[in-house]
């Protein structure tokens, strides 16, 4: 439980810097700006039942086999043609006809690995720019300390995820004063507040975004960078991601 009436917030700039013991008794906040969390939010909006992260394509194939016809694979950078049960990691690929009532198997390089590293937390909330304010509002009544885990960019610092984390922390401070930040969380907050009026300008100049633009994914980038378009709260617990009510947090 949070100590002394204050929620202590620590931040890790990459899941690779996270020790499992750090999460015992804590809530985790997994931050992923591009594109898995926006994709999941889009899928849940279209009626997806739940989602499960997979460590690699072999584990994803095993889970898909267990699910039979009830699974849909969401993957990164597929080099060949997608089958009827595979969808690209893009919010625009989440057609209702494909995902409604289905279990999504998430196999992406950054978000899946980050989620699996958060298994020791009491629960893990997923956030991006699309739902940052709703997440902050829910966290205001959280009874445990919080570890913010940035999915990062192939294990490296992602400025996008730091800015998104800063946006959640900034909003959280508007809903409660009972918060103590470590140095990294403070840096994320100050970076966001300093850049608040220029977030989209900054984002479009980052290498990860430029890579997506070169692939013709400008619509995806625009979708992922929209702030507060949904109040959905995806929560990863007991190996499964489900949408939960705010009171659950």
């Amino acid at each position: 439980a949070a100590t002394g009436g204050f929620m202590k917030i620590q931040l890790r700039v990459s899941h690779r810097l996270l020790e499992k013991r750090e999460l015992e008794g804590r809530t985790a906040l997994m931050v992923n700006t591009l594109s898995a969390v926006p994709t999941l939010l889009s899928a849940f909006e279209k009626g997806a039942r739940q989602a499960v992260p997979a460590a690699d394509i072999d584990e994803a194939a095993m889970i898909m086999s267990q699910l039979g016809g009830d699974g849909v694979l969401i993957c990164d950078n597929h080099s060949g043609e997608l089958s009827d049960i595979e969808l690209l990691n893009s919010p625009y690929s989440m057609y209702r006809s494909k995902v409604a009532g289905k279990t999504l198997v998430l196999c992406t390089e950054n978000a899946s690995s980050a989620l699996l590293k958060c298994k020791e937390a009491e629960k893990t909330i997923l956030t991006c720019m699309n739902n940052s304010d709703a997440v902050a509002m829910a966290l205001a009544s959280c009874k445990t300390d919080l570890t913010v885990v940035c999915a990062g960019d192939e294990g490296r610092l992602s400025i996008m995820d730091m800015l998104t984390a800063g946006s959640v922390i900034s909003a959280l401070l508007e809903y409660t004063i009972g918060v103590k930040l470590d140095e990294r969380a403070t840096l994320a907050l100050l970076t966001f507040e300093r850049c608040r009026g220029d977030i989209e300008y900054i984002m479009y100049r980052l290498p990860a975004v430029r890579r997506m633009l070169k692939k013709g994914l400008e619509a995806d980038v625009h979708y992922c960078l929209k702030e507060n378009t949904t109040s959905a709260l995806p929560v990863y617990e007991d190996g499964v991601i489900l949408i939960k009510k705010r009171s659950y947090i």
Side-chain angles (χ1 to χ4, degrees), residues 216-235:
L217 298 174
E218 185 170 1
D220 285 53
V221 171
H222 184 67
Y223 186 106
C224 294
L225 297 186
K226 285 183 180 178
E227 296 183 61
N228 304 317
T229 56
T230 178
S231 59
L233 295 172
V235 176

Side-chain angles (χ1 to χ4, degrees), residues 34-35 57 73-82 86-90 93 107-110 153-154 208 211-212 215 217 220:
L34 294 177
S35 300
I57 196 63
L73 176 65
I74 298 177
C75 55
D76 278 333
N77 301 326
H78 198 285
S79 57
E81 296 211 2
L82 296 172
E86 296 176 323
L87 296 174
L88 189 65
N89 179 20
S90 163
S93 295
C107 187
T108 65
E109 185 163 16
N110 299 315
D153 183 7
E154 299 179 0
R211 289 197 298 269
M212 290 188 68
K215 295 176 183 177
L217 298 174
D220 285 53

Side-chain angles (χ1 to χ4, degrees), residues 13-17 110 150-159 161 207 211:
V13 299
S14 168
H15 62 86
R16 293 185 185 178
L17 301 176
N110 299 315
C150 295
D153 183 7
E154 299 179 0
R156 299 184 298 270
L157 167 69
S158 164
I159 295 175
D161 288 350
R211 289 197 298 269

Side-chain angles (χ1 to χ4, degrees), residues 90-125:
S90 163
Y92 288 111
S93 295
M94 301 299 108
Y95 300 107
R96 186 175 298 276
S97 60
K98 295 280 190 179
V99 302
K102 301 290 187 178
T103 294
L104 311 176
V105 180
L106 183 69
C107 187
T108 65
E109 185 163 16
N110 299 315
S112 297
S113 300
L115 282 169
L116 292 168
K117 284 292 288 285
C118 292
K119 284 193 296 186
E120 303 303 318
E122 289 199 0
K123 63 178 72 74
T124 299
I125 304 165

